Amino acid sequence: MSILAELRARVATALVALAEGDQSAAEFAAMVLPSQEAKFGDYQANCAMPLGKRLGKPPREVAAAIVDKLRITDLCETPEIAGPGFINLKLKDAFVADKLKAASPDVDRLGVAAVASPRTFVLDYSSPNVAKPMHVGHIRSTVIGDALYQVLKFVGHRTISDNHIGDWGTQFGMIIYGWKHFGDEAAFAKAPVPELTRLYRLVNTLVEYHALRDEALPAAATRVAECESRVSQLELAPTPADPAEQKKHAKRISQAEGQLADARREYRELEAKLNQLDSDSKTRALADAHPTIGQAVLAETAALHAGDATNKALWQRFLPPCLAEIDETYQRLGVTFDHALGESFYEDALAGVVEDLKLKGLAKSSDGALCVFLAGQEAPFIVQKKDGAFLYATTDLATIEYRMRQWRPDAILYVVDHRQSFHFDSLFATARLWGYDNVEFQHISFGTVLGDDGKPFKTRSGSSVGLSGLLDEAVERALAIVSANDDARPEPMLSADERQIVAERVGIGAIKYADLAHNRTSDYKFSYDKMLAMTGNTAAYMQYSYARVSSIFGKGGVDPAQLRASSATITLDHPAERALGVAILQFSEALDRVVGDYRPNYLTDYLYDLAGKYSSFFENCPVLKAETEPLRNSRLLLCDLTARTLARGLNLLGIDVVERM
Ligand code: ARG
């Protein structure tokens, strides 16, 4: 149990005793939290205020009564009551020191106990659509999903990762159409994925071109005409005599003019988009030659799903190189999955899902489509289209059925960007109606990665290198930084090979850490400069902190394993030393927070704070030159615990450390 959990349990007991056995009083124990400032102790219990309200008693009086009932002398100094009724808890130095000493030999777990009641989690993350360039959003999903997977596993839960690869969607209709009309055998033989990407981009552009030119632009033109006629009608109307009416009339005109301006702007924007698509003026000619490409692509997808032999053979030919390409990215990121059952895996189950939903009266026909209507949801959840086609939604329902049968999870987590929140709300509601009401469904939503211009980040446009190029550039830049730092030393210490290894870890680590350190629900700007900075809350800084702590052992000629096994004890005399010790013990609390909210940034925050506490410890407390041998050993033990906590924490986030950089 973490210290926080232990304190909450003690406070809960006191609260219930105070409320004469009323168990509900225990809920206020959740208001025990780590203190924001050292002068308020290590933890603060703010439960006297709400409990006072409930009991109709002054909070300070309630606080005193809580303290009176609190049995905590083995952990804390005498609690202090401050302000309106805050209870400040300061851990006993001896307690902290003993706990650290006990954690020290526990090389892997650092004293973090496994949860008492493990749950089973299925995690659905990464899940790119193959044959379509993977984008940074998929990296974000991969990185956040992997971190959650590792943390859940580490704290003792049963975890199953399943990469729900999009290997069956409309993009195949595009590629198949592209192949049939523009395919280049020789290019495919030489480099399959770039050829498929080319076809995807080409067909996608043509479909988009038609949608713009034949639908969106005419619609915008109609809107402009409507607004124009409204403005001229209003202008031609006689001006009312009454001043108040006159004012209203003027307001109506200016409103209509505003709408007209908006409509014109929208028209111009669409027109600009269209011109951009046609920038090399080939698109128009091709689009003209393929006037019904939009429907044709859908027809190719439908034929594939209906088992058309040609399309199925093409799909079977295209899929393996696409999967191999994705695997390369995973290898580079150091991410593996327990399963990767793509959408196609569920193909045969879809009709059954729809049958069952119909049978249970959940799916109803509406305009020829089969829909599940959900309370409080504007749009229905469509499970089968008018033309008989199944959808993303149908596959996701089949996937839930399979996962529940196969793994009986307590929770299924979907790490997918925020744009799909409507889909997941509907999916979860439908699944519950369908009978899966005993499982926690969570959409672990995340924000958009933005470019410098504040628009969704794109890998250098037009290049098919995409993601691997992104990773390459991070590593390249890391190499420059690592080399410059090393060259600036009186005596550089890294060989060329070492620099390369460090750069790979720092570069990939930087990208991952930036994804993880931001609150996942917010958007953030992708910036190599920021993520590779050697100071601040970055991977490079954390990796450097780790290397700096570790280097002490080499310098002092100390074997940490021997030290851990020795009878050396820990003392916490200096405030910076004590603060570091307490922070080390709070590792498990950070992990609990990550699990509680499914937010890896609680762990990056924690590690950053720990590195800061180490810095001030290091500035204030000589280690190798400590006054006495026992003090030196005590401090070395703290260094060792710090290093391992940093390494373990980063490792749970999928980030490798280096001994020297
Ligand atoms: N393939 C989808 C996309 O790239 C994400 C799939 C997420 N997982 C799921 N079970 N729907 O947008």
Side-chain angles (χ1 to χ4, degrees), residues 124-129 135 138 164-166 343 392 396 399 403 414-417 420 423-424 427:
D124 178 320
Y125 55 92
S126 195
S127 311
N129 299 321
H135 58 76
H138 291 118
H164 190 71
I165 296 177
E343 292 180 8
Y392 184 52
D396 257 333
T399 307
R403 287 173 177 166
Y414 297 80
V415 188
V416 185
D417 77 74
Q420 294 195 26
H423 166 75
F424 285 111
L427 174 68

Side-chain angles (χ1 to χ4, degrees), residues 386-467:
K386 210 172 165 156
D387 61 8
F390 300 115
L391 301 99
Y392 184 52
T394 330
T395 307
D396 257 333
L397 286 167
T399 307
I400 289 178
E401 185 184 49
Y402 177 84
R403 287 173 177 166
M404 292 305 295
R405 195 173 58 233
Q406 197 70 10
W407 301 307
R408 311 210 165 280
D410 299 295
I412 308 183
L413 314 183
Y414 297 80
V415 188
V416 185
D417 77 74
H418 66 98
R419 289 169 306 176
Q420 294 195 26
S421 58
F422 183 76
H423 166 75
F424 285 111
D425 284 349
S426 311
L427 174 68
F428 301 162
T430 303
R432 281 187 207 109
L433 290 175
W434 198 22
Y436 298 106
D437 49 4
N438 230 339
V439 48
E440 173 192 345
F441 292 113
Q442 288 284 353
H443 176 199
I444 311 296
S445 158
F446 56 84
T448 311
V449 183
L450 305 172
D452 266 339
D453 53 1
K455 295 203 181 115
F457 180 81
K458 287 215 172 75
T459 47
R460 247 184 258 137
S461 63
S463 82
S464 62
V465 224
L467 279 192

